[in-house]
Amino acid sequence: MYWIELAGETDAFAACEAATAATGVDLLAPGVAAAGSVGEGVGRLAYTRAAHEAVARTDATVASAVAA
């Protein structure tokens, strides 16, 4: 799983653009999307600032973060 940091005013448009270089793009929050995988072309997208491989996904507690 990857996290994609979106740039621009319209997240829906940025997510559609990201889907041209990534699979399974899903908007999670303003400026953030998840993707199943990303290709080499993600670095050339205009409305994507960065893509990072996820280390873990937990709920929003310190204990869960430590366990991950």
Side-chain angles (χ1 to χ4, degrees):
M1 175 180 276
Y2 289 82
W3 302 109
I4 300 176
E5 181 184 349
L6 303 174
E9 296 177 8
T10 308
D11 288 340
F13 180 81
C16 286
E17 182 197 39
T20 66
T23 61
V25 176
D26 184 32
L27 283 173
L28 298 176
V32 180
S37 66
V38 297
E40 292 180 17
V42 76
R44 294 188 303 266
L45 298 175
Y47 292 97
T48 297
R49 291 186 179 158
H52 306 280
E53 188 171 3
V55 175
R57 186 172 182 175
T58 68
D59 57 352
T61 65
V62 174
S64 294
V66 169

